[in-house]
């Protein structure tokens, strides 16, 4: 119940939105917490891309032929790729290849193991094998240039490690660029937006947009309050409350049918908790002038203390979620009367479950009684064992005495018989 009440005090519960896209194949939308309901128009002009370079055909790719130092540096190119600006926070990575010379697959693995911000792969088709270098992340600032110091002494040809050289600012284009790094660009409600990624998380509050393809026209996005999700949270609260109410009612009542008491019958703490819960459920909150009690929002308390929802009233409350939220989850540390009912129940549950709370204190008291009874049982068991031991010893001694007395009695009887026989003669 505490967790279900706490959920109704959180803004993300009341502000959660659902969203739709008129063309999810081009722009998909994922709603989140604290979304803003509304309609939006977005046109995708360009997708974010990662720089991709490819070498020429590599003769004998399985032969060890690459040796030297490959340097990869992340940054951005200007429009004509005449100037390269290193990325802030990134450093150039020197990759030692060999010695001895390595094959194409070994070169690929060596590059991937360095974490230089690029991913290497071997592309093999009917023409032969080539090495592809691609930026690990999209965006203009994640472009790269590659310079080499070939072990064969010639870093300007297309043989050996020189096949990976790419630095247009120095006129070195041994490795061809298949795709340039680029930012995504779009127009959202006539406002131009750019992003290094095709996933836009900060453009619209509480929503994540994923750009999948360039669009010829605008895509319509619609965000609305996620009423089913809110109703689910309310139902969870009602279920938790009713379950707890039934449990406590069953445990505290007198079982007249079986003529015995239930576990918590007569337990003042349990009775007091149930009374507090019912009082809070019917409490008044001054946070909203529209809904001052939970009953105004469709919470009807039955004779047994359970909640039954009035669907008509509840639907009206959910349609005016801004006001309904106040009677449920408003939080005002300065004016307690402005606190919502769920806030009060959560606070009560925190107190009851706290280290000095009623439930913990009562449970500890019961446990102490159990421990005391157990100690007394053990003490009584010890006393019984000692009494049994003493009695057994006494009866054993008595039994020995009885044997001796019986033996003496037999002897005396025998002697008297002999004596009587002698006297008669």
């Amino acid at each position: 119940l505490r967790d279900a009440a706490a959920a109704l005090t959180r803004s993300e519960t009341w502000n959660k939105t659902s969203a739709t896209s008129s063309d999810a194949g081009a722009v998909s939308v994922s709603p989140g917490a604290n979304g803003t309901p509304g309609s939006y128009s977005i046109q995708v002009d360009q997708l974010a891309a990662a720089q991709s370079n490819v070498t020429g055909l590599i003769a004998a790719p399985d032969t060890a032929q690459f040796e030297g130092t490959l340097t990869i540096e992340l940054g951005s190119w200007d429009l004509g790729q005449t100037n390269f600006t290193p990325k802030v926070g990134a450093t150039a990575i020197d990759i030692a290849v060999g010695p001895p010379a390595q094959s194409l697959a070994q070169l690929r693995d060596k590059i991937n193991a360095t974490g230089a911000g690029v991913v290497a792969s071997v592309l093999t088709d009917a023409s032969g094998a080539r090495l592809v270098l691609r930026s690990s992340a999209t965006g203009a600032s994640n472009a790269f240039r590659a310079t080499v110091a070939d072990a064969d002494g010639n870093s300007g040809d297309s043989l050996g490690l020189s096949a990976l050289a790419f630095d247009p600012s120095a006129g070195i284009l041994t490795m061809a660029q298949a795709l340039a790094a680029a930012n995504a660009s779009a127009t959202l409600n006539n406002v131009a937006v750019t992003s290094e990624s095709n996933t836009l998380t900060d453009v619209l509050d509480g929503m994540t947009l994923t750009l999948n393809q360039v669009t010829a026209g605008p895509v319509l996005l619609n965000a609305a309050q996620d009423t089913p999700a809110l109703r689910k949270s309310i139902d969870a609260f009602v279920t938790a409350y009713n379950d707890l109410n039934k449990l406590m009612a069953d445990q505290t009542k007198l079982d007249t049918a079986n003529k015995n008491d239930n576990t918590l019958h007569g337990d003042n703490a349990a009775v007091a908790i149930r009374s507090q819960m019912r009082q809070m459920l019917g409490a008044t909150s001054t946070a909203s002038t529209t809904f001052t009690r939970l009953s105004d929002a469709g919470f009807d308390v039955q004779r047994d203390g359970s909640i039954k929802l009035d669907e008509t009233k509840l639907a009206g409350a959910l349609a005016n979620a801004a006001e309904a939220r106040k009677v449920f989850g408003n939080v005002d540390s300065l004016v307690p009367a402005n606190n919502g009912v769920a806030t009060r129940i959560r606070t009560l549950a925190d107190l009851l479950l706290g280290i000095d709370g009623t439930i913990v204190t009562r449970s500890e008291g019961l446990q102490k009684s159990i421990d005391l009874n157990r100690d007394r049982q053990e003490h009584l068991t010890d006393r019984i064992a000692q009494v049994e031991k003493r009695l057994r010893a006494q009866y054993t001694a008595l039994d020995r005495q009885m044997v001796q007395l019986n033996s003496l009695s037999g002897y005396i009887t025998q002697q008297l018989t002999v004596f009587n026989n002698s006297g008669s003669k």
Side-chain angles (χ1 to χ4, degrees):
L1 177 62
R2 188 267 175 202
D3 294 341
L8 292 178
T9 67
R10 301 189 188 107
S11 59
E12 54 264 32
T13 300
W14 295 90
N15 295 340
K16 189 174 183 180
T17 56
S18 59
T20 58
S21 169
S22 63
D23 187 355
V27 181
S28 58
V29 55
S30 300
N34 299 317
T36 303
S39 297
Y40 309 90
S41 172
I42 184 170
Q43 180 167 328
V44 182
D45 304 312
Q46 178 176 284
L47 294 178
Q51 179 177 326
S52 179
N53 285 27
V54 60
T55 66
L57 292 173
I58 304 295
D62 296 330
T63 302
Q65 55 183 302
F66 303 98
E67 185 177 350
T69 301
L70 170 66
T71 301
I72 296 177
E73 186 175 14
L74 298 180
S76 57
W77 294 101
D78 62 6
L79 188 60
Q81 290 192 330
T82 57
N83 292 298
F84 181 81
T85 303
K87 184 176 182 177
V88 176
T91 57
I93 302 297
D94 293 330
I95 304 172
V97 183
Q102 298 181 315
S103 67
L104 185 61
Q106 289 174 316
L107 174 60
R108 173 200 61 199
D109 296 341
K110 179 64 73 70
I111 295 172
N112 289 336
T114 60
V118 299
V119 177
S121 59
V122 175
L123 173 62
T124 304
D125 59 12
S127 302
R130 286 162 284 188
L131 186 72
V132 177
L133 291 184
R134 177 177 53 83
S135 297
S136 300
T138 59
S141 67
N142 291 307
F144 65 88
R145 65 177 172 183
T147 58
V148 300
D150 202 328
D152 63 9
N154 187 351
S155 300
D157 59 14
S158 58
L159 302 177
L161 198 60
S162 301
L164 277 68
F166 177 78
D167 185 4
S169 61
I172 301 175
L173 297 169
T174 309
M175 194 180 209
Q177 186 179 78
L179 186 64
N183 289 338
S185 62
T187 304
L188 179 65
N189 284 0
N190 292 325
V191 178
V193 295
T194 61
S195 171
E196 288 196 338
S197 168
N198 288 316
T199 302
L200 282 60
T201 57
D202 300 323
V203 174
L204 294 176
D205 290 337
M207 288 188 285
T208 298
L209 307 182
T210 302
L211 310 182
N212 301 313
Q213 64 186 41
V214 174
T215 62
V219 175
L220 300 181
L221 308 177
N222 184 62
Q225 176 185 301
D226 193 346
T227 301
L230 178 56
R231 174 60 190 268
K232 185 177 180 180
S233 297
I234 291 176
D235 287 341
F237 172 80
V238 172
T239 299
Y241 185 93
N242 286 344
D243 286 348
L244 180 57
N245 177 72
K246 184 178 185 305
L247 173 67
M248 298 186 71
D250 290 343
Q251 292 298 316
T252 56
K253 72 179 181 181
L254 175 64
D255 189 357
T256 56
N258 297 315
K259 297 182 180 181
N260 62 355
D261 293 346
N262 281 300
T263 305
L264 299 178
H265 175 65
D267 188 288
N268 292 333
V271 173
I273 291 173
R274 191 179 181 211
S275 176
Q276 286 177 293
M277 287 169 50
R278 295 195 64 167
Q279 289 175 4
M280 287 195 170
L281 199 63
T284 300
S285 173
T286 56
S288 171
T289 57
T290 305
F291 306 102
T292 58
R293 297 174 182 269
L294 285 186
S295 57
D296 297 333
F299 279 53
D300 290 339
V301 181
Q302 307 301 295
R303 293 184 62 183
D304 62 358
S306 64
I307 300 172
K308 182 178 180 181
L309 293 176
D310 184 319
E311 296 295 338
T312 302
K313 287 185 178 180
L314 182 58
L318 296 182
N320 189 3
E323 286 298 315
R325 174 186 174 183
K326 296 177 183 178
V327 72
F328 279 100
N330 194 62
V331 178
D332 192 334
S333 58
L334 299 178
V335 184
N338 285 339
N339 285 326
V341 176
T343 301
R344 299 177 189 182
I345 291 179
R346 182 208 63 194
T347 303
L348 172 63
D350 286 339
L351 292 175
L352 293 175
L353 297 170
I355 189 171
D356 294 323
T358 302
I359 292 177
V360 174
T361 303
R362 182 68 176 126
S363 297
E364 289 177 349
L366 291 171
Q367 187 60 52
K368 288 180 180 178
S369 297
I370 292 173
D371 294 340
L372 179 60
N373 288 338
R374 182 172 55 247
D375 292 341
R376 288 176 175 175
Q377 288 174 345
E378 292 175 355
H379 181 66
L380 180 59
T381 300
D382 291 340
R383 287 183 58 192
I384 291 173
Q386 292 174 1
V387 171
E388 180 185 6
K389 182 179 179 181
R390 177 170 53 82
L391 291 176
R392 285 184 180 276
Q394 290 176 344
Y395 282 113
T396 299
L398 178 61
D399 186 61
R400 285 198 299 266
Q401 290 294 327
M402 290 299 296
V403 170
Q404 292 177 1
L405 289 174
N406 288 333
S407 177
L408 179 61
S409 175
Y411 175 74
I412 292 174
T413 300
Q414 181 184 19
Q415 291 300 315
L416 287 174
T417 301
V418 173
F419 178 76
N420 291 332
N421 291 333
S422 300
S424 64
K425 291 180 180 181

